[in-house]
Amino acid sequence: MSVAKQEREELRATHEAAFERWKTEVLAHDAAERRRVDTALRWFPVHLASRPRRVDVYGGTADGWAALLVTLGASLLANGKGLWLLDFSHQTVGRELAALADTRGVPVVRVELPSASAPPDLSWGLSPEELAEVLAEALSTLRPDGADVDLRATDASLLHSVLERLDGAVTFGRIASGLEVLLRVHEPDRAPEPLSARELDSLTTAIDVVGQSERIQNELRFVYDVMRLLARAQHNPLTLPAPDQWLAPGQLTILSTHDVTERRKDVIDRVVFFLILHQLRRGRVPADAGTLVIAGAEHLGRSALEAMARQARVAGVRLMLLMTHVREDIRPLLGGQDSATVLMRLGNAEEAKAAAEFIGHGHKFVINQLTRQVGESHSRGRSHSYGGGDSETGGWSTSWQNSVDSSTTDSETRGETVSRVYEFTVEPTQIQSLPPTGLILIETSPQSRRVVFGDCNPAITLLPHVADAPRLPE
């Protein structure tokens, strides 16, 4: 065997050995990648990096809210925190969470108003002056913004005139009867008489003190109509636990309002809301006891929600507001102080656009032009030549030539133009098409503004490859 042939065989053997090693390494790498992908965590908990004291949820459906409450509530209750749900949504969004808490042995307190009736004594330990202010504050939110601010003071004065003269339990029916006396329309001979003889005498002497001006009488009739409306809902009185027992560590409390009369339900929502707000002001709710969730809160108005947010922050209670729409009057709440925002499905185009505006804009590169140019050229030619000559030797020569030539050329040119644009980070159509349990979390931390897509379907926890800790920041 020649030297060259031997060297060639040795090189081939070396190459084949290296190729086999490469194939083995590729197969090992692919197998490792498959194992990594198969065992990789695919779902991570969404945590609030900024640790806000308030979370505002806009949009969503009843199923979406129920899923969010189950996912959030299960985590809070498992960690020994309390959850207090005020359900004004008409949709019993806390039912699934209550069922889960029951199966886990978590204490659950359920209160329904007014189907379970208002308490026989709704004062909750408040003085007549405090209760009058709470009820007047609730009534003031029934008026449009910009209404006469003095009317709230007038309502408080009228209610205080009645409440300070009631010796027994304070109910809406007895308050309405006291206002009847001030209006001079009370019928003392009816049975049963809700007021004692002493209370009737005391209220009668207050008629002249209250005043008989047209303004006072008009406002007196307004307050009386509202109290009488609430009094008609009182059936089967139920003693409620004190508010300071509602938000307790490791306990789920659900207070929901239901009524076939929409106007009465609306008023009950406001009265309950401001009674709880006043309990926070008095410091009757333990600090760091848990989270207060208000579902269907947008009809209460921006000023009421801001007051609740401010007082919850002072009391050390985390607040979550669930609002179906991004209404014009509550839109300024977006991105409020010490808060995070969660956006769920918003079907209305204008509301989705407002939500996208809040999320913000960002720079991105997009293709704005694609070009394709196709060309084809043909050429064809013919030439003819003839020649002849002689030489000194007497020879003679002739020549001729005919030639034909043709050619075809094809060409194609493709072009792509990319531009940097400043557009919505999340398009409104994306917000409109979110799944029922899909959500977008927006929060601002000292480091940066964070936008995270998530899903609150509690069934995700039953899937494989679910992490028990949030993803580490990059």
Side-chain angles (χ1 to χ4, degrees), residues 272-304:
V272 171
F273 178 88
F274 284 102
L275 278 171
I276 293 170
L277 175 58
H278 191 74
Q279 297 297 328
L280 289 175
R281 289 170 176 163
R282 297 178 70 199
R284 297 286 297 276
V285 177
D288 297 324
T291 301
L292 170 61
V293 180
I294 305 178
E298 65 267 21
H299 68 292
L300 301 172
R302 178 165 61 93
S303 60

Side-chain angles (χ1 to χ4, degrees), residues 292-364:
L292 170 61
V293 180
I294 305 178
E298 65 267 21
H299 68 292
L300 301 172
R302 178 165 61 93
S303 60
L305 297 178
E306 287 178 336
M308 178 64 80
R310 182 171 54 252
Q311 200 56 50
R313 185 167 56 250
V314 172
V317 174
R318 174 171 285 177
L319 177 66
M320 175 178 281
L321 302 175
L322 305 181
M323 295 167 282
T324 308
H325 302 285
V326 187
R327 288 170 37 177
E328 188 70 30
D329 57 332
I330 62 173
R331 198 166 295 174
L333 291 174
L334 279 166
Q337 178 186 7
D338 195 17
S339 71
T341 302
V342 173
L343 297 175
M344 302 184 77
R345 180 192 293 175
L346 287 166
N348 182 275
E350 289 298 321
E351 293 181 359
K353 182 179 179 181
E357 289 280 1
F358 169 70
I359 295 174
H361 297 71
H363 287 100
K364 63 180 73 172

